[in-house]
Amino acid sequence: MRLFVALSPPPEAVDELWSAVEAVGTDRPGLRWTRPEQWHLTLAFLGEVDDPARQDLVERLGRAARRHPPLTLALSGAGRFGDRVLWTRVSGDVEPVRRLAASVRAAARRARLPVDDRPYRPHLTLARAGGEVDLRSLVDALAGFAGRPWTAGELHLVRSHLGAGPGGSARHEPLVSWALDGRERG
Ligand code: 2AM
């Protein structure tokens, strides 16, 4: 099954981000918006994982979650990956998020899963474009968005069912969640 590991913003953070997105207007040809009920911060994308590797992964992720504390995060502004991906920025405990993502990726590698080794850039994807849309105006329009801080207290292993959501989008199904209840701050 196709898996990824993520943090989820709480409903209040989703609502205020959705208000900001609606205010700039979602009716734009060539853009596919992600659905607010599925908004998440990806820590690691794992792709197809078979059952034995998944069991190993679940144990290792549980151990990783126990070593990390809850994180205080906020969503604000926007950025883009080229003309393909529009995202909102993650601020607050960004270094701890990086450390958590590094632990998650290390757990996945030890479970013998291939993990993207490009530098991790914390973000929440808002929309994807085919390359024919200039995302710059949207980045500018969302620049003033400043969400309130929230606590990410759980790590989620999520299954992605490709094509099973509305309009052929993916449907995300949380499989296992762990409390971030470690004390490591350093
Ligand atoms: P994104 O937030 O950068 O878009 C589920 O597909 C999640 O895994 C997406 O939110 C996406 O992160 C992330 N992801 C990373 N690499 C991916 C890939 N090669 N294919 C699909 N999703 C990927």
Side-chain angles (χ1 to χ4, degrees):
M1 59 182 73
R2 193 177 166 90
L3 300 177
F4 64 97
V5 180
L7 302 173
S8 299
E12 314 81 71
V14 169
D15 286 349
E16 61 182 2
L17 177 57
W18 177 238
S19 301
V21 166
E22 270 196 312
V24 304
T26 53
D27 191 8
R28 292 166 188 257
L31 264 193
R32 285 172 291 118
W33 293 88
T34 52
R35 286 183 287 134
E37 62 270 29
Q38 298 202 152
W39 277 344
H40 61 272
L41 276 60
T42 305
L43 297 174
F45 176 73
L46 306 172
E48 283 296 326
V49 177
D50 63 20
D51 285 351
R54 191 183 74 236
Q55 286 167 19
D56 189 9
L57 174 74
V58 163
E59 283 179 26
R60 291 177 189 280
L61 287 178
R63 289 202 287 275
R66 280 199 294 276
R67 290 198 303 272
H68 290 265
L71 309 172
T72 302
L73 303 174
L75 302 170
S76 62
R80 61 195 175 97
F81 295 143
D83 279 325
R84 299 267 168 194
V85 178
L86 174 73
W87 41 265
T88 187
R89 199 175 303 281
V90 177
S91 57
D93 287 341
V94 173
E95 279 313 309
V97 173
R98 288 185 200 283
R99 286 199 289 275
L100 178 60
S103 283
V104 164
R105 288 163 184 231
R109 284 193 195 94
R110 285 190 213 103
R112 300 182 185 286
L113 297 169
V115 182
D116 193 349
D117 53 12
R118 283 177 295 186
Y120 176 62
R121 300 189 53 187
H123 66 278
L124 183 153
T125 294
L126 293 173
R128 296 189 176 86
E132 70 279 9
V133 182
D134 185 357
L135 296 179
R136 263 171 280 219
S137 64
L138 279 163
V139 170
D140 291 345
L142 283 166
F145 169 64
R148 272 168 298 182
W150 45 275
T151 302
E154 284 192 325
L155 182 70
H156 306 284
L157 177 63
V158 186
R159 179 174 182 183
S160 174
H161 299 265
L162 284 184
S169 62
R171 181 171 65 79
H172 295 166
E173 175 195 6
L175 290 184
V176 190
S177 300
W178 299 269
L180 295 170
D181 52 11
R183 289 171 183 279
E184 244 175 49
R185 284 265 165 212

